[in-house]
Amino acid sequence: LQAGLAVLLKAERLFHSSYHSQAVHIRPICRVSVRLAAPCSLLQDASCLAVSWELRQTLTVVFETFPSGQGKKDWSLFKMFSRTLTEACPLASQSKIYVDISAKDKEKELLEVTPSPTSVHEAIVQGEKRTYAVYDLLSPSLFNTSRSLNVQLKWKRPQDSLELSTPVLHAQRYVSGYGLQTGKISTLIYNTHPYRAFPVILLETVPWYLRLYVHTLTIITKGKENKPS
């Protein structure tokens, strides 16, 4: 039985998107530990008595809703996934949808998200204040009026007069040369913030037929080469 956010995982929609990435993370977590202290000493050592394993699965999907929407930035869950949400997963302790509704000052009254969110959450992301509409699938009031949830974001006027803002961090990747001798992959990462630096985690998806040599990796920042650790 599919329920909760798993309902949206429709293969023909995900695999025809612009980008999708699946990952599985497994790590040990200490559940019970004892702390030992030496006499007349401030040195302490923690010893783990019981270990649990944490399993974390992530799915990242990028849809090109703007080019495919006839010049409109409106979108909905049904347009992207061809499905809507009907219920929360009965085994989930929490199940939430976050919709970024951040906008510039002149655009604050132009965004309209339906239905009304359960709550609104604000956070600082990459040095900027972001606002998110939160839909809590475990909230009893969310499915009271309708048996399906189709989150929609609309603009109250045509977007021809609105300028698409450049993200603070963006990247480009291209392939040059050919073969194993002269072929190479170049990835350019841009930080447009006027003064702040950000940590970046780069995940490269390499085709199965391409062989990479780690010793040929070079990292260049502002024209100077940085040696990778």
Side-chain angles (χ1 to χ4, degrees):
L1 176 63
Q2 285 189 342
L5 298 179
V7 176
L8 302 178
L9 304 183
K10 190 176 181 181
E12 54 265 33
R13 299 293 294 177
L14 298 180
F15 297 147
H16 283 81
S17 60
S18 301
Y19 173 84
H20 69 274
S21 174
Q22 304 179 46
V24 177
H25 304 269
I26 301 177
R27 66 168 183 169
I29 296 180
C30 184
R31 289 189 293 111
V32 180
S33 62
V34 58
R35 189 170 297 275
L36 305 176
C40 301
S41 175
L42 297 179
L43 298 178
Q44 293 183 344
D45 183 23
S47 178
C48 187
L49 299 181
V51 178
S52 296
W53 290 94
E54 178 190 74
L55 170 64
R56 182 162 56 95
Q57 301 177 359
T58 61
L59 173 64
T60 303
V61 185
V62 177
F63 292 98
E64 291 187 8
T65 57
F66 183 74
S68 60
Q70 299 178 350
K72 298 180 180 180
K73 291 194 290 184
D74 301 345
W75 61 265
S76 67
L77 291 182
F78 185 78
K79 286 183 179 179
M80 291 188 295
F81 300 99
S82 296
R83 292 180 178 179
T84 58
L85 296 173
T86 56
E87 61 178 336
C89 177
L91 300 179
S93 59
Q94 62 176 353
S95 183
K96 298 180 181 180
I97 297 177
Y98 291 83
V99 180
D100 192 344
I101 57 174
S102 306
K104 299 179 181 179
D105 293 337
K106 63 179 181 180
E107 300 173 357
K108 285 184 177 180
E109 303 299 328
L110 303 179
L111 285 174
E112 180 181 7
V113 58
T114 55
S116 299
T118 309
S119 61
V120 177
H121 175 71
E122 294 184 348
I124 303 298
V125 180
Q126 296 180 355
E128 294 185 357
K129 184 178 180 180
R130 311 298 295 183
T131 304
Y132 299 92
V134 183
Y135 294 87
D136 188 355
L137 301 186
L138 298 181
S139 176
S141 61
L142 192 59
F143 294 101
N144 278 351
T145 57
S146 175
R147 292 187 177 181
S148 66
L149 175 63
N150 182 28
V151 180
Q152 304 179 62
L153 189 142
K154 297 181 179 180
W155 292 76
K156 296 182 181 180
R157 76 179 186 191
Q159 288 80 47
D160 296 338
S161 59
L162 298 179
E163 297 181 357
L164 295 178
S165 58
T166 302
V168 176
L169 292 176
H170 62 279
Q172 297 177 353
R173 187 176 76 159
Y174 60 89
V175 179
S176 59
Y178 59 90
L180 294 178
Q181 184 175 0
T182 61
K184 61 182 178 180
I185 298 178
S186 299
T187 302
L188 305 180
I189 303 177
Y190 299 91
N191 177 15
T192 60
H193 198 279
Y195 59 87
R196 185 172 178 179
F198 300 98
V200 174
I201 299 178
L202 177 63
L203 173 63
E204 284 282 2
T205 304
V206 180
W208 63 270
Y209 54 83
L210 186 62
R211 180 179 297 177
L212 297 182
Y213 297 94
V214 180
H215 73 279
T216 64
L217 173 65
T218 57
I219 302 176
I220 300 176
T221 305
K222 296 181 179 180
K224 298 180 179 180
E225 183 177 353
N226 291 337
K227 294 295 183 180
S229 57

